[in-house]
PDB file of all heavy atoms in Angstrom:
ATOM      1  N   ALA G  76       6.485   6.934  18.238  1.00 88.00           N
ATOM      2  CA  ALA G  76       7.364   8.110  18.256  1.00 88.00           C
ATOM      3  C   ALA G  76       7.900   8.391  16.868  1.00 88.00           C
ATOM      4  O   ALA G  76       7.933   9.538  16.422  1.00 88.00           O
ATOM      5  CB  ALA G  76       8.477   7.913  19.248  1.00 88.00           C
ATOM      6  N   TYR G  77       8.318   7.366  16.186  1.00 89.00           N
ATOM      7  CA  TYR G  77       8.836   7.543  14.816  1.00 89.00           C
ATOM      8  C   TYR G  77       7.721   7.982  13.870  1.00 89.00           C
ATOM      9  O   TYR G  77       7.933   8.902  13.059  1.00 89.00           O
ATOM     10  CB  TYR G  77       9.448   6.222  14.310  1.00 89.00           C
ATOM     11  CG  TYR G  77      10.869   6.016  14.754  1.00 89.00           C
ATOM     12  CD1 TYR G  77      11.196   5.034  15.698  1.00 89.00           C
ATOM     13  CD2 TYR G  77      11.914   6.789  14.249  1.00 89.00           C
ATOM     14  CE1 TYR G  77      12.485   4.836  16.120  1.00 89.00           C
ATOM     15  CE2 TYR G  77      13.226   6.580  14.655  1.00 89.00           C
ATOM     16  CZ  TYR G  77      13.499   5.607  15.590  1.00 89.00           C
ATOM     17  OH  TYR G  77      14.789   5.424  16.006  1.00 89.00           O
ATOM     18  N   VAL G  78       6.570   7.328  13.962  1.00 89.00           N
ATOM     19  CA  VAL G  78       5.477   7.671  13.054  1.00 89.00           C
ATOM     20  C   VAL G  78       5.022   9.099  13.277  1.00 89.00           C
ATOM     21  O   VAL G  78       4.904   9.885  12.318  1.00 89.00           O
ATOM     22  CB  VAL G  78       4.288   6.703  13.262  1.00 89.00           C
ATOM     23  CG1 VAL G  78       3.070   7.185  12.461  1.00 89.00           C
ATOM     24  CG2 VAL G  78       4.678   5.298  12.820  1.00 89.00           C
ATOM     25  N   MET G  79       4.793   9.498  14.521  1.00 90.00           N
ATOM     26  CA  MET G  79       4.331  10.837  14.817  1.00 90.00           C
ATOM     27  C   MET G  79       5.412  11.866  14.513  1.00 90.00           C
ATOM     28  O   MET G  79       5.138  12.995  14.082  1.00 90.00           O
ATOM     29  CB  MET G  79       3.884  10.945  16.259  1.00 90.00           C
ATOM     30  CG  MET G  79       2.629  10.136  16.583  1.00 90.00           C
ATOM     31  SD  MET G  79       1.241  10.565  15.494  1.00 90.00           S
ATOM     32  CE  MET G  79       1.030  12.310  15.894  1.00 90.00           C
ATOM     33  N   GLY G  80       6.664  11.502  14.783  1.00 89.00           N
ATOM     34  CA  GLY G  80       7.770  12.433  14.524  1.00 89.00           C
ATOM     35  C   GLY G  80       7.938  12.755  13.069  1.00 89.00           C
ATOM     36  O   GLY G  80       8.481  13.816  12.720  1.00 89.00           O
ATOM     37  N   ILE G  81       7.486  11.871  12.189  1.00 90.00           N
ATOM     38  CA  ILE G  81       7.621  12.067  10.748  1.00 90.00           C
ATOM     39  C   ILE G  81       6.313  12.545  10.132  1.00 90.00           C
ATOM     40  O   ILE G  81       6.281  13.490   9.346  1.00 90.00           O
ATOM     41  CB  ILE G  81       8.085  10.763  10.061  1.00 90.00           C
ATOM     42  CG1 ILE G  81       9.482  10.378  10.572  1.00 90.00           C
ATOM     43  CG2 ILE G  81       8.088  10.930   8.547  1.00 90.00           C
ATOM     44  CD1 ILE G  81       9.948   9.031  10.106  1.00 90.00           C
ATOM     45  N   VAL G  82       5.190  11.885  10.512  1.00 92.00           N
ATOM     46  CA  VAL G  82       3.908  12.189   9.871  1.00 92.00           C
ATOM     47  C   VAL G  82       3.357  13.530  10.319  1.00 92.00           C
ATOM     48  O   VAL G  82       2.853  14.292   9.485  1.00 92.00           O
ATOM     49  CB  VAL G  82       2.910  11.059  10.188  1.00 92.00           C
ATOM     50  CG1 VAL G  82       1.513  11.435   9.667  1.00 92.00           C
ATOM     51  CG2 VAL G  82       3.363   9.757   9.578  1.00 92.00           C
ATOM     52  N   ALA G  83       3.439  13.845  11.620  1.00 91.00           N
ATOM     53  CA  ALA G  83       2.866  15.100  12.123  1.00 91.00           C
ATOM     54  C   ALA G  83       3.443  16.341  11.436  1.00 91.00           C
ATOM     55  O   ALA G  83       2.653  17.222  11.022  1.00 91.00           O
ATOM     56  CB  ALA G  83       3.073  15.200  13.623  1.00 91.00           C
ATOM     57  N   PRO G  84       4.767  16.452  11.247  1.00 90.00           N
ATOM     58  CA  PRO G  84       5.307  17.651  10.550  1.00 90.00           C
ATOM     59  C   PRO G  84       4.817  17.733   9.108  1.00 90.00           C
ATOM     60  O   PRO G  84       4.570  18.833   8.597  1.00 90.00           O
ATOM     61  CB  PRO G  84       6.818  17.424  10.593  1.00 90.00           C
ATOM     62  CG  PRO G  84       7.054  16.550  11.758  1.00 90.00           C
ATOM     63  CD  PRO G  84       5.866  15.633  11.801  1.00 90.00           C
ATOM     64  N   VAL G  85       4.638  16.582   8.434  1.00 91.00           N
ATOM     65  CA  VAL G  85       4.171  16.579   7.054  1.00 91.00           C
ATOM     66  C   VAL G  85       2.735  17.082   7.003  1.00 91.00           C
ATOM     67  O   VAL G  85       2.354  17.896   6.134  1.00 91.00           O
ATOM     68  CB  VAL G  85       4.286  15.167   6.424  1.00 91.00           C
ATOM     69  CG1 VAL G  85       3.627  15.135   5.053  1.00 91.00           C
ATOM     70  CG2 VAL G  85       5.761  14.751   6.327  1.00 91.00           C
ATOM     71  N   ILE G  86       1.890  16.577   7.912  1.00 93.00           N
ATOM     72  CA  ILE G  86       0.500  17.022   7.954  1.00 93.00           C
ATOM     73  C   ILE G  86       0.427  18.533   8.201  1.00 93.00           C
ATOM     74  O   ILE G  86      -0.381  19.244   7.599  1.00 93.00           O
ATOM     75  CB  ILE G  86      -0.263  16.269   9.062  1.00 93.00           C
ATOM     76  CG1 ILE G  86      -0.405  14.789   8.674  1.00 93.00           C
ATOM     77  CG2 ILE G  86      -1.657  16.886   9.284  1.00 93.00           C
ATOM     78  CD1 ILE G  86      -1.052  13.926   9.744  1.00 93.00           C
ATOM     79  N   MET G  87       1.334  19.026   9.080  1.00 92.00           N
ATOM     80  CA  MET G  87       1.317  20.467   9.416  1.00 92.00           C
ATOM     81  C   MET G  87       1.644  21.308   8.201  1.00 92.00           C
ATOM     82  O   MET G  87       1.173  22.468   8.107  1.00 92.00           O
ATOM     83  CB  MET G  87       2.299  20.736  10.559  1.00 92.00           C
ATOM     84  CG  MET G  87       1.788  20.368  11.927  1.00 92.00           C
ATOM     85  SD  MET G  87       0.190  21.163  12.294  1.00 92.00           S
ATOM     86  CE  MET G  87       0.631  22.902  12.137  1.00 92.00           C
ATOM     87  N   LEU G  88       2.417  20.792   7.262  1.00 92.00           N
ATOM     88  CA  LEU G  88       2.714  21.576   6.056  1.00 92.00           C
ATOM     89  C   LEU G  88       1.438  21.903   5.301  1.00 92.00           C
ATOM     90  O   LEU G  88       1.233  23.037   4.867  1.00 92.00           O
ATOM     91  CB  LEU G  88       3.652  20.774   5.107  1.00 92.00           C
ATOM     92  CG  LEU G  88       5.077  20.482   5.598  1.00 92.00           C
ATOM     93  CD1 LEU G  88       5.841  19.807   4.486  1.00 92.00           C
ATOM     94  CD2 LEU G  88       5.776  21.742   6.065  1.00 92.00           C
ATOM     95  N   PHE G  89       0.564  20.893   5.150  1.00 94.00           N
ATOM     96  CA  PHE G  89      -0.657  21.104   4.392  1.00 94.00           C
ATOM     97  C   PHE G  89      -1.690  21.906   5.149  1.00 94.00           C
ATOM     98  O   PHE G  89      -2.459  22.666   4.572  1.00 94.00           O
ATOM     99  CB  PHE G  89      -1.217  19.726   3.963  1.00 94.00           C
ATOM    100  CG  PHE G  89      -0.319  18.995   3.009  1.00 94.00           C
ATOM    101  CD1 PHE G  89       0.629  18.092   3.462  1.00 94.00           C
ATOM    102  CD2 PHE G  89      -0.381  19.267   1.632  1.00 94.00           C
ATOM    103  CE1 PHE G  89       1.466  17.411   2.580  1.00 94.00           C
ATOM    104  CE2 PHE G  89       0.473  18.617   0.753  1.00 94.00           C
ATOM    105  CZ  PHE G  89       1.400  17.691   1.210  1.00 94.00           C
TER     106      PHE G  89
END
Side-chain angles (χ1 to χ4, degrees):
Y77 277 109
V78 171
M79 292 305 298
I81 296 171
V82 174
V85 173
I86 292 176
M87 281 305 301
L88 295 186
F89 294 94

